[in-house]
Amino acid sequence: MLVPSKEQVDIINAVAPRILIEANAGSAKTTTAAMRIQKLVERGVDPGKIVALAYSTPGVSAYAGAFHRIGMPDSVSSKVRVGTVDALCATRLKRVEAPVQDGVRAQPVKSFERAVQVRPYVLQAVQRAREVSQERFANDFSIQGTGALSVEHLLEEFAVLKGTLAVPRYGEDFRCTPAVAAELGTDYTPLAVFLQYERDRTGFVNPEGEQVKFRYPGDATYDMARWLLSENAPWSWDRHPLSLGIEAIVLDEMHDCGWAIFTVIRALLECNPGATFLGVGDRDQVIHAKNGADAYFLGPNLSRELGEIATFPLTVTRRFGPSIARPLGVFANKAYNVHTDHTSNAVLRLADSSKANADLIVQLIQQHQVDPNTLGNDFAVLLRHPGAAVGIEHELLLKGMTYQTVGFRPFLQRPEIAFVRMLLAIAVDHQSKFIAPALLEAKQAVWEFMGSNLSVPDAQDATDAIISSATEDNFRQFVFPDLLGAADQETQHAIHAALEIAATNDASKIKEFMDALDFNRIGQKIYVTQADFEEVRYALDSIGKVASQYSSMDAFLAAMNMFDHTLRKPSAAHRQLRLSTIEDAKGLEFRIVFIPDCNRKTFDSTSQDERNLFYVAASRAKELLVMGHDQGAESSYLKHFAH
């Protein structure tokens, strides 16, 4: 049984109906929420009338672990209604959207979990948005191809627009213009595509009323919030889907709370007037650019929205010891107390190249005796920019180490790198072949980057057939020349020049090849935002450095094909090192965390989001935090750890 700290005791015993816990990372916030739930049950609250919510699936799993740690009986914990806010909204909307009529239940809304499932709808929205933009804003619409390589980027932009309720909250004066997009903190292109996508997803242009076709993660919360803000919600107050007869609402991960989630929480409290509220979050973990999270809800403004809030601190870290807690507290400018029996270590290490980073990773694994069977859970490499992973991935493969990427694709599956590999293979007439999935990715990438129109995937037309069925030899000899001949003159000139350089088979000329390819011009027509494009440039610069290490273009291509085969083997799924974006590590913890490239160019902005990203990364470590940097180029963030 855990012995609660004084801070936890104050929270557990509080009688205020509205409570906000301002928690530090690693301070057992979910465990504290679980203790509060247990106290409510002891006071007579029916556990079946307690709703325990989180933003993410790991957050939901954390409740189960916390209930177990505090010794809550299964007979009690099994009754608590635990889930994500999105899952709650999806369940409650079913009552409205799929009613029983004449003994028959209406067809339920489809639920999609993977980007590939909604890809056809996104591509269709790109085409429609381009058509709509032609008359007034053609020059502001940045995607000149089909958008096939921008689907994931667009979905990330959609998540921000939905999380912030940007369009519904703008009001009746909303117009899709570049000026309005700037007001909303986005670019015109994703906003225009978003509107077309939503028209298709919800069918609200149907004169008979809205009928949702499908939902992607986050859509149920967005749809519920839109209805809550609407005067035409498809329910009456006495049959409100959020009237659950509940007595307590607990919301963990409030640092991921945006306007969509908050609108649902506020409605839950209004529809269940006797319910108490407990919110738990850390304002230094708010990443505004991710899913529309907003620090507004972790300060005094929350009282304006929900009435008087009793605020309690949770500063005692139970995840790591003073060598991490104290400098992290100074960095975040807040109190950070330490659980006395916990030890940890934070060190700075010179690692000024991909090889040095990979060497350090292997060294840490060996020195700290990380079990290969638990490697993915014990050790994490957290990256500020996924493009920075390219060189590290290559060096790890040279060492025979496999890995999993979280939040981004492995470097050999990145479209821009697949494009480069195919061009080089054509130039030198490389003899070893792409494996089947890599070949399809390379053909699609070439088709997109050269400006041809790849059809919406569910349309069985000639373009789709060519991409799917062309063998590698056929694609090189016939399809590619046809594509090149149909491209605009600038693209033709750039690719001819690049192929001529690559044909020398001299790997030392890879930079010349990249310069001739003029990806600055080609890429700007493909990607949604400048940030997306810069990430791609980062990856291409990295793959150029990798290629220059080989004796020839042929040798480079042969190695990439071999590595591709290694990474995609089913056996590679075991004993994998975790390479993750920082955003996708939120809510998780690892015995050892390595943050490479803690340099001025990577981590040195005064932007609160960037500072919060570093805070999130550094606070994931339980025993050892290692921060790598270049000689004389270290981030100012590291000064707090320098001693």
Side-chain angles (χ1 to χ4, degrees):
M1 295 292 291
L2 292 178
V3 178
S5 67
K6 182 182 182 306
E7 291 177 333
Q8 290 174 315
V9 170
D10 290 343
I11 293 166
I12 295 166
N13 294 326
V15 295
R18 304 281 188 269
I19 295 174
L20 172 65
I21 301 176
E22 295 181 335
N24 291 354
S27 60
K29 57 185 179 60
T30 309
T31 301
T32 306
M35 290 175 173
R36 174 70 179 181
I37 291 171
Q38 188 172 51
K39 188 67 174 182
L40 291 174
V41 174
E42 291 173 0
R43 290 175 179 172
V45 177
D46 181 351
K49 293 185 177 181
I50 300 175
V51 174
L53 301 171
Y55 171 76
S56 66
T57 300
V60 172
S61 299
Y63 275 117
F67 291 154
H68 177 74
R69 282 193 297 276
I70 67 173
M72 183 183 290
D74 291 343
S75 59
V76 175
S77 61
S78 62
K79 295 178 182 178
V80 179
R81 301 161 76 165
V82 181
T84 64
V85 177
D86 204 47
L88 171 69
C89 291
T91 300
R92 303 312 299 172
L93 285 171
K94 283 182 181 178
R95 298 173 60 88
V96 179
E97 297 168 333
V100 176
Q101 296 180 350
D102 300 326
V104 179
R105 184 171 293 278
Q107 188 72 22
V109 175
K110 293 180 180 178
S111 179
F112 296 143
E113 296 295 325
R114 295 177 295 120
V116 68
Q117 294 173 298
V118 298
R119 186 173 185 268
Y121 300 100
V122 177
L123 297 183
Q124 183 172 277
V126 170
Q127 294 175 359
R128 291 180 178 172
R130 183 187 293 109
E131 292 169 2
V132 170
S133 302
Q134 284 302 314
E135 185 174 343
R136 295 182 59 196
F137 307 117
N139 293 333
D140 296 286
F141 194 83
S142 62
I143 301 176
Q144 296 188 25
T146 66
L149 301 184
S150 299
V151 171
E152 293 175 1
H153 301 288
L154 284 166
L155 288 172
E156 290 174 359
E157 293 292 317
F158 294 174
V160 175
L161 289 168
K162 291 179 179 183
T164 58
L165 288 181
V167 175
R169 291 178 64 225
Y170 194 93
E172 296 181 356
D173 295 332
F174 174 81
R175 298 290 183 273
C176 185
T177 68
V180 169
E183 284 186 57
L184 298 179
T186 188
D187 294 319
Y188 172 75
T189 298
L191 179 61
V193 178
F194 171 72
L195 294 175
Q196 298 301 322
Y197 173 83
E198 282 297 295
R199 284 190 172 91
D200 197 20
R201 186 181 73 82
T202 64
F204 65 75
V205 292
N206 185 335
E208 298 178 359
E210 178 173 321
Q211 177 60 55
V212 177
K213 294 180 181 178
F214 66 89
R215 289 198 173 97
Y216 188 65
D219 285 344
T221 306
Y222 179 66
D223 291 343
M224 178 69 82
R226 284 190 303 114
W227 281 124
L228 292 170
L229 294 177
S230 169
E231 296 179 356
N232 301 310
W235 57 71
S236 58
W237 179 257
D238 60 337
R239 297 191 63 192
H240 200 291
L242 296 182
S243 293
L244 305 176
I246 54 179
E247 298 181 26
I249 300 165
V250 177
L251 177 61
D252 198 359
E253 300 183 315
M254 274 193 71
H255 39 259
D256 290 312
C257 183
W259 278 99
I261 291 175
F262 178 76
T263 300
V264 173
I265 297 300
R266 181 169 54 192
L268 265 176
L269 290 168
E270 291 172 352
C271 294
N272 303 273
T276 60
F277 173 76
L278 175 75
V280 190
D282 180 356
R283 67 166 42 252
D284 291 296
Q285 293 191 56
V286 175
I287 311 299
H288 297 80
K290 185 75 171 177
N291 301 322
D294 199 326
Y296 176 88
F297 305 110
L298 286 170
N301 292 316
L302 189 60
S303 295
R304 301 177 188 174
E305 302 291 339
L306 297 183
E308 185 176 353
I309 298 286
T311 302
F312 291 85
L314 198 56
T315 65
V316 179
T317 175
R318 294 176 180 269
R319 179 179 295 160
F320 40 75
S323 62
I324 296 177
R326 287 171 182 162
L328 202 58
V330 175
F331 172 76
N333 192 28
K334 63 183 181 182
Y336 232 125
N337 297 308
V338 181
H339 194 261
T340 54
D341 62 359
H342 200 108
T343 58
S344 61
N345 198 14
V347 297
L348 310 184
R349 293 292 295 271
L350 180 64
D352 55 2
S353 68
S354 296
K355 184 178 185 307
N357 282 316
D359 288 344
L360 181 54
I361 290 169
V362 173
Q363 180 185 2
L364 291 170
I365 290 171
Q366 294 173 346
Q367 283 183 347
H368 296 274
Q369 300 178 341
V370 181
D371 185 343
N373 295 308
T374 60
L375 179 58
N377 295 322
D378 281 356
F379 192 119
V381 180
L382 303 184
L383 298 142
R384 174 68 178 89
H385 297 290
V390 172
I392 296 175
E393 290 179 65
H394 172 250
E395 292 294 334
L396 291 173
L397 288 168
L398 288 175
K399 296 176 183 297
M401 179 176 288
T402 58
Y403 54 87
Q404 60 174 320
T405 60
V406 182
F408 61 98
R409 298 180 185 182
F411 80 109
L412 290 173
Q413 296 177 33
R414 296 183 69 116
E416 64 275 16
I417 291 177
F419 174 55
V420 166
R421 286 172 65 194
M422 179 60 85
L423 290 185
L424 293 176
I426 291 170
V428 301
D429 192 23
H430 186 64
Q431 295 306 300
S432 70
K433 305 296 184 183
F434 284 87
I435 61 174
L439 175 60
L440 180 59
E441 292 163 0
K443 290 186 294 185
Q444 290 173 331
V446 170
W447 199 287
E448 282 297 313
F449 282 118
M450 290 178 63
S452 297
N453 290 323
L454 183 64
S455 64
V456 176
D458 60 352
Q460 298 299 315
D461 61 6
T463 299
D464 188 40
I466 290 171
I467 289 295
S468 300
S469 63
T471 65
E472 184 169 346
D473 288 338
N474 180 272
F475 189 84
R476 288 194 203 179
Q477 296 175 26
F478 302 107
V479 179
F480 175 77
D482 287 345
L483 286 175
L484 187 56
D488 61 78
Q489 289 188 349
E490 284 184 305
T491 300
Q492 287 186 36
H493 177 76
I495 291 180
H496 277 302
L499 291 175
E500 186 175 341
I501 294 169
T504 64
N505 204 18
D506 184 351
S508 68
K509 293 186 177 181
I510 189 69
K511 186 178 185 307
E512 292 180 47
F513 166 82
M514 293 288 193
D515 291 342
L517 192 56
D518 193 13
F519 200 86
N520 285 327
R521 184 185 59 81
I522 296 176
Q524 292 285 10
K525 299 178 180 181
I526 301 295
Y527 293 99
V528 179
T529 66
Q530 185 63 28
D532 295 332
F533 175 66
E534 288 173 358
E535 188 65 51
V536 169
R537 280 298 320 179
Y538 202 129
L540 285 174
D541 289 344
S542 297
I543 199 65
K545 293 175 182 177
V546 167
S548 66
Q549 299 174 32
Y550 288 84
S551 59
S552 66
M553 301 289 192
D554 252 324
F556 165 69
L557 291 169
M560 296 306 104
N561 288 344
M562 179 184 68
F563 291 148
D564 219 343
H565 179 73
T566 299
L567 276 178
R568 299 191 199 234
K569 286 192 300 186
S571 59
H574 304 288
R575 302 182 176 186
Q576 289 186 333
L577 174 70
R578 178 190 292 257
L579 303 179
S580 173
T581 63
I582 296 170
E583 294 92 332
D584 286 279
K586 287 180 68 175
L588 303 176
E589 59 182 23
F590 308 92
R591 186 157 73 90
I592 301 170
V593 167
F594 173 45
I595 313 173
D597 300 323
C598 294
N599 302 315
R600 286 193 290 270
K601 290 183 179 179
T602 308
F603 277 120
D604 222 36
S605 169
T606 56
S607 159
Q608 192 60 49
D609 269 11
E610 188 159 304
R611 293 182 66 84
N612 288 2
L613 279 169
F614 181 80
Y615 172 88
V616 168
S619 61
R620 299 307 95 196
K622 293 192 293 183
E623 296 181 12
L624 178 63
L625 169 64
V626 182
M627 294 155 283
H629 62 88
D630 293 354
Q631 181 70 50
E634 56 269 28
S635 165
S636 64
Y637 295 179
L638 302 187
K639 64 184 179 183
H640 308 293
F641 295 87
H643 67 279

